[in-house]
Amino acid sequence: MRKQNAKQFASALRALTRGKKKSEIDTIVRSVVGRYGVTGQMKFLARVWHQLHDILNSEKGVARVAVRVPSCDKKRNRALTGQIAKQVGRDSEISITEDPSLIAGAVVTVGDKRYDGSVKARIRQLRKHLQRN
Amino acid sequence: MSQTNYILESLKTQIQSFKGEIEESDVGRIIEVGDGIARILGLSGAKQSEMLEIETPHGGTVTAVVLNLEEDTIGAMILGDYMNIHEGDTVKSTGRILEVPVGDGLIGRVVSPLGEALDGKGAIVSGANYPVEKIAPGVITRKGVHQPLHTGIKAIDAMIPVGRGQRELIIGDRQTGKTAIAIDTIIHQKHERAAGNDILCVYVAIGQKEGKIAKLVAKLQEEGAMEYTTIVLAGASDPASLSYLAPFAGCAMAEFFMDQGRDVLVVYDDLSKHAVAYRQLSLLLRRPPGREAYPGDIFYLHSRLLERAAKLNKEHGGGSLTAFPIIETQAGDVSAYIPTNVISITDGQIYLEADLFYQGIRPAVNVGLSVSRVGSAAQTKAMKKVAGRLRLELAQYRELAAFAQFGSDLDEATQKQINRGARLTEILKQGQYEPMPFEYQTVALYAGVNALFDDIPVEKIKKVEQALHEYLHINKRKLMETIAKEQALSEDSEQRLKIAIEEYKKTIPI
């Protein structure tokens, strides 16, 4: 039974690869993937990758931001990305997905925090307001 | 038209007064889900027992409760259908610790452990919510148990008296009448309420067959008991999470009434199934298994639940919460893990034996092994007077019963003791759904312990007792009312009762 969780494994892997050359890192990563791929633990590897990504981002001070918008308008999304990056105040990795059910507005998730400014959320709030009163 | 205009104007005003804001919430992501448990990544600010909302891809939400707080993940139990939840679904924190609706709107209803109506009589109207987990009342807020809670069952009210605020365990094998005792107690509270004792009842069904509960509800309705009873149901087909929550939810609903200064009886039927549900959840949450694979805190599970039963002092309203936990044993083994745990927590137990049941002694109470640690502090003076010798008489009878087969070889005193014991055993038998007011119990037991039934054949005792009650109800109503009002058997009442019984005996052929 595996004793380490994904976060611990990712931390150990980061410690192992810190300061190494690119070729040495490639060898380490290939051997880890090879070993866990063979034993059928791809799901665990996916979680390790996710945790490693977070570790690297936090080392660099990069925030992971997920944005949902009703439609993918490239021009508008570029403007939105710029605004969000300014608000976050540090390097950020912004991903944008389409969600037509939002109707309008956007939902921005930064780490564990979600900011929902969509029309869908406003309608939900309006419903609760009318029910209360 | 004017009404329509009014409605439109009102809606307009409401909408205009609405100020929508950007919703800020803590979110996480499901990384593993199955068997009613979800592992969540994120939600670093989540609290123990906090309610979470899982947003399913179809746009609905499912409630979950935080049970495990680990270094980077949360283990949450899903309260509802987990079949539509997938890995990657977003989970939102609500900031609310698990709570249930409470209030008068729950009286007479059948609800789920989350307070949702199950009886088809419309949504529950509730003005308040109470937390499901709560610290029990402290020493200073309590008062000693001193008021009786009459069950209407002679064997219990006489020898194992229960007080308001007590925890009395009902324990026995399957099909020995455990639920029957609890239901008869609930039905009897109708009489108590008519006599001025406002006692509400909460029956928590854990892992029970829904057909059995439907039958039970019908019976309570027939007897008029649903007017003051709430039923909390986590059926056999419901997830283990609901079975785990049900007793705590029922207790929270009862605590609302206790805090108002009212008296409540809560029946937990049964805690054996509750322990099994908790074991299932704990194993799925990867908590280390202990003895019999139960988690290490299985004792604490029941102790913190039962400790919430209390009699409060006057400064805190004077209300009470009496608990009747039920435990099912296997082959009469009271020394098993869960039964011994609960026996050590409660203030006494009513032990039901299958052997007695099959011998026709129903309720099948083993008087020798049953006890109430509150004792006569929770008994009326009238009952104390007649029940004092009852236990001793029965104990002596049990010792001598083995010699009953040698009937002709026994001395007169022994024969007399055996005869007396047989008649007392017969008097203590009682039909299901036939709870008896305490004044009539007093009469029956008085006649038994004072040798007034010694000349009646054992097989006729039940009929004679019933007829005596009818006779007293019709011809000596004032005497019965005096005993009921004073709750004592004064010398004068005793004399009148003795004369009445002798008068009645003259009218029957013996």
Side-chain angles (χ1 to χ4, degrees):
Chain A
M1 192 180 189
R2 193 189 319 116
K3 288 178 184 166
Q4 286 181 321
N5 62 28
K7 191 173 179 182
Q8 289 165 337
F9 196 95
S11 299
L13 196 57
R14 176 65 190 124
L16 195 62
T17 53
R18 192 174 276 120
K20 295 266 193 313
K21 290 183 210 167
K22 193 169 178 288
S23 55
E24 286 169 326
I25 294 173
D26 278 346
T27 311
I28 293 168
V29 169
R30 215 173 281 128
S31 114
V32 165
V33 170
R35 188 191 160 182
Y36 282 90
V38 159
T39 54
Q41 295 183 65
M42 295 307 291
K43 238 182 178 176
F44 173 69
L45 264 189
R47 287 209 297 273
V48 169
W49 161 248
H50 194 86
Q51 291 293 337
L52 195 56
H53 200 77
D54 285 345
I55 292 169
L56 290 170
N57 279 344
S58 83
E59 280 180 10
K60 289 183 209 166
V62 174
R64 190 181 253 188
V65 182
V67 181
R68 280 166 37 222
V69 290
S71 60
C72 281
D73 181 293
K74 278 190 181 154
K75 195 178 170 188
R76 196 179 56 206
N77 288 352
R78 248 199 317 271
L80 185 61
T81 306
Q83 277 298 318
I84 290 170
K86 220 191 219 173
Q87 287 295 324
V88 169
R90 51 189 167 120
D91 286 347
S92 32
E93 204 179 271
I94 303 174
S95 61
I96 299 183
T97 50
E98 193 177 309
D99 184 358
S101 71
L102 298 179
I103 306 169
V107 178
V108 179
T109 308
V110 183
D112 282 355
K113 283 277 184 206
R114 185 170 72 182
Y115 303 92
D116 192 341
S118 65
V119 169
K120 185 179 173 185
R122 303 276 171 122
I123 292 171
R124 198 170 48 233
Q125 289 169 16
L126 178 60
R127 190 188 306 128
K128 276 189 191 156
H129 175 79
L130 291 172
Q131 280 171 348
R132 255 198 311 268
N133 300 314
Chain B
M1 265 317 269
S2 64
Q3 202 179 19
T4 315
N5 280 342
Y6 172 74
I7 292 169
L8 287 171
E9 282 304 315
S10 176
L11 268 173
K12 229 192 231 173
T13 317
Q14 293 294 335
I15 293 169
Q16 278 166 353
S17 70
F18 167 69
K19 284 184 179 61
E21 292 167 347
I22 292 178
E23 270 181 12
E24 187 184 327
S25 49
D26 291 329
V27 293
R29 184 172 62 86
I30 290 184
I31 55 172
E32 199 178 315
V33 64
D35 296 323
I37 298 292
R39 286 215 111 64
I40 298 158
L41 189 68
L43 284 177
S44 47
K47 303 183 197 93
Q48 179 68 14
S49 297
E50 185 177 344
M51 292 167 75
L52 307 173
E53 274 177 11
I54 302 173
E55 293 167 358
T56 62
H58 309 288
T61 58
V62 178
T63 307
V65 176
V66 175
L67 281 188
N68 265 12
L69 292 169
E70 291 155 17
E71 191 185 345
D72 55 350
T73 57
I74 287 168
M77 99 183 146
I78 300 166
L79 302 175
D81 186 14
Y82 51 85
M83 302 303 259
N84 293 323
I85 298 172
H86 307 95
E87 186 189 338
D89 286 352
T90 304
V91 184
K92 198 173 90 168
S93 155
T94 62
R96 290 183 351 249
I97 302 298
L98 186 58
E99 54 190 19
V100 288
V102 295
D104 288 353
L106 285 158
I107 299 174
R109 303 298 302 269
V110 182
V111 298
S112 75
L114 299 175
E116 296 152 350
L118 297 177
D119 50 11
K121 291 181 183 173
I124 301 291
V125 174
S126 135
N129 287 326
Y130 259 40
V132 160
E133 292 272 9
K134 205 175 166 198
I135 304 288
V139 172
I140 301 298
T141 59
R142 293 179 191 240
K143 191 179 176 179
V145 173
H146 65 281
Q147 284 171 298
L149 181 100
H150 291 129
T151 63
I153 298 168
K154 282 175 275 186
I156 296 171
D157 290 344
M159 291 175 290
I160 321 157
V162 180
R164 296 184 209 179
Q166 187 177 347
R167 293 90 45 97
E168 185 76 8
L169 171 66
I170 303 173
I171 183 169
D173 280 1
R174 57 179 188 82
Q175 302 295 312
T176 47
K178 303 184 293 297
T179 304
I181 284 181
I183 297 305
D184 280 358
T185 305
I186 292 175
I187 292 171
H188 181 64
Q189 301 317 307
K190 187 171 181 195
H191 174 87
E192 291 289 307
R193 287 166 66 83
N197 297 314
D198 174 29
I199 298 173
L200 297 168
C201 301
V202 176
Y203 178 84
V204 182
I206 306 156
Q208 304 284 336
K209 286 179 272 197
E210 305 214 10
K212 178 183 166 188
I213 300 304
K215 222 167 129 182
L216 197 143
V217 171
K219 188 65 192 173
L220 289 177
Q221 264 164 355
E222 187 189 316
E223 299 288 339
M226 279 304 290
E227 288 169 13
Y228 51 86
T229 304
T230 301
I231 297 191
V232 180
L233 170 61
S237 58
D238 286 327
S241 52
L242 291 180
S243 292
Y244 162 68
L245 273 184
F248 295 104
C251 190
M253 292 170 191
E255 272 172 337
F256 172 78
F257 299 119
M258 178 175 73
D259 291 343
Q260 288 187 325
R262 298 170 86 170
D263 297 315
V264 199
L265 167 68
V266 186
V267 178
Y268 303 109
D269 191 2
D270 59 65
L271 291 186
S272 309
K273 291 192 182 65
H274 183 232
V276 166
Y278 187 56
R279 177 173 63 184
Q280 178 181 325
L281 288 170
S282 297
L283 290 172
L284 288 168
L285 286 165
R286 305 286 178 96
R287 291 178 178 177
R291 178 176 165 185
E292 293 179 28
Y294 287 105
D297 62 344
I298 192 73
F299 184 95
Y300 181 54
L301 174 78
H302 291 145
S303 67
R304 71 178 187 266
L305 170 69
L306 295 173
E307 239 348 82
R308 287 159 75 174
K311 168 73 185 167
L312 299 180
N313 58 26
K314 214 173 166 182
E315 289 76 38
H316 290 85
S320 71
L321 198 161
T322 308
F324 274 13
I326 294 178
I327 286 280
E328 186 177 292
T329 51
Q330 303 296 324
D333 184 14
V334 290
S335 60
Y337 188 28
I338 302 300
T340 47
N341 274 358
V342 183
I343 286 170
S344 66
I345 293 167
T346 52
D347 306 318
Q349 65 273 353
I350 298 167
Y351 182 44
L352 301 171
E353 269 191 344
D355 286 345
L356 294 175
F357 189 88
Y358 296 129
Q359 283 172 33
I361 299 172
R362 297 170 199 179
V365 178
N366 183 325
V367 175
L369 291 177
S370 303
V371 74
S372 165
R373 300 187 205 195
V374 168
S376 58
Q379 232 175 9
T380 57
K381 285 193 176 118
M383 190 58 85
K384 257 187 253 197
K385 201 166 190 178
V386 301
R389 286 170 18 217
L390 183 60
R391 228 180 219 274
L392 184 63
E393 298 265 8
L394 287 172
Q396 287 171 342
Y397 168 63
R398 277 196 306 278
E399 276 204 24
L400 296 171
F403 298 104
Q405 57 189 321
F406 308 115
S408 58
D409 298 324
L410 298 170
D411 62 282
E412 200 187 318
T414 307
Q415 190 63 54
K416 203 173 159 187
Q417 190 64 53
I418 289 172
N419 291 342
R420 176 77 53 80
R423 280 153 183 80
L424 288 173
T425 303
E426 199 61 27
I427 289 171
L428 289 175
K429 288 182 188 174
Q430 198 166 342
Q432 196 177 7
Y433 310 131
E434 293 175 10
M436 193 181 287
F438 89 91
E439 60 271 20
Y440 288 94
Q441 293 181 26
T442 307
V443 162
L445 293 170
Y446 177 84
V449 297
N450 289 293
L452 296 172
F453 279 176
D454 280 6
D455 50 353
I456 296 173
V458 174
E459 59 276 7
K460 289 191 180 168
I461 291 279
K462 289 307 299 174
K463 275 200 176 131
V464 168
E465 182 197 346
Q466 201 174 347
L468 173 63
H469 286 159
E470 279 166 21
Y471 172 84
L472 291 171
H473 182 68
I474 295 166
N475 300 307
K476 305 289 175 186
R477 192 174 291 201
K478 244 190 160 168
L479 169 62
M480 300 311 294
E481 282 169 5
T482 306
I483 297 172
K485 192 176 166 193
E486 290 173 2
Q487 299 209 335
L489 204 54
S490 62
E491 271 189 41
D492 176 55
S493 296
E494 190 179 342
Q495 202 54 37
R496 285 162 63 194
L497 179 62
K498 195 170 178 183
I499 293 168
I501 295 173
E502 293 293 356
E503 269 175 19
Y504 167 72
K505 277 171 66 178
K506 284 181 189 149
T507 66
I508 54 165
I510 294 168

